[in-house]
Amino acid sequence: MTSQEQIIENETHLLQAFKEKNLAVLNEMLYEGCIFNLPNGKTAGKPDVLENYRSGNTVMISISVSDQIINLFDDVAVVDVIQDMKLSYFDQAVDSKFRYIRVWKLFGNKWQAISVTGIQLSQDEN
């Protein structure tokens, strides 16, 4: 399997794990020092994100992707993607499109997300 195919597979598994609240898979796929720049402008770490899912403060209802671009640089991959998401975030319903950039790094033979940045797209960009 090529690196590009591995990244495509990892992206699918990561989003599925978020939707299914599979904390074991998320823990494995996210680098311990992963930095999240959230659409609300806040920055969080892996423990914060996992706790939000564990506690039910974040509940993913549906997620679909489009316009995925993957750039590979040796052992680093940058993924730019549009995500159409329905979720509950601290009891607020969210139904919108977002642009996400995820950076993956190969550690040995395992890719892990080391950075995740999301921005909500305006209605004009939807």
Side-chain angles (χ1 to χ4, degrees), residues 52-107:
N52 279 342
Y53 277 88
R54 184 179 296 109
S55 68
N57 287 331
T58 302
V59 178
M60 185 68 61
I61 299 162
S62 68
I63 187 169
S64 61
V65 300
S66 62
D67 301 329
Q68 186 179 64
I69 300 167
I70 299 171
N71 287 314
L72 289 159
F73 309 94
D74 297 322
D75 63 348
V76 174
V78 178
V79 178
D80 183 287
V81 65
I82 303 293
Q83 293 180 188
D84 192 357
M85 301 190 311
K86 291 181 185 176
L87 62 124
S88 172
Y89 184 71
F90 288 88
D91 295 324
Q92 292 185 346
V94 178
D95 182 356
S96 191
K97 287 189 181 184
F98 299 82
R99 177 173 302 280
Y100 270 85
I101 297 174
R102 275 183 285 279
V103 180
W104 295 85
K105 173 141 178 48
L106 186 61
F107 295 95

Side-chain angles (χ1 to χ4, degrees), residues 3-69:
S3 293
Q4 176 129 351
E5 291 168 335
Q6 291 173 359
I7 294 300
I8 291 169
E9 186 175 275
N10 279 357
E11 281 281 310
T12 300
H13 287 148
L14 182 70
L15 297 181
Q16 184 176 2
F18 275 122
K19 185 176 176 194
E20 295 173 357
K21 197 168 115 176
N22 188 331
L23 299 176
V25 170
L26 291 172
N27 189 52
E28 181 179 315
M29 297 189 83
L30 300 171
Y31 178 70
E32 202 57 41
C34 187
I35 298 169
F36 291 81
N37 293 298
L38 305 175
N40 63 7
K42 295 183 179 181
T43 300
K46 174 182 171 178
D48 304 313
V49 170
L50 293 180
E51 179 55 31
N52 279 342
Y53 277 88
R54 184 179 296 109
S55 68
N57 287 331
T58 302
V59 178
M60 185 68 61
I61 299 162
S62 68
I63 187 169
S64 61
V65 300
S66 62
D67 301 329
Q68 186 179 64
I69 300 167

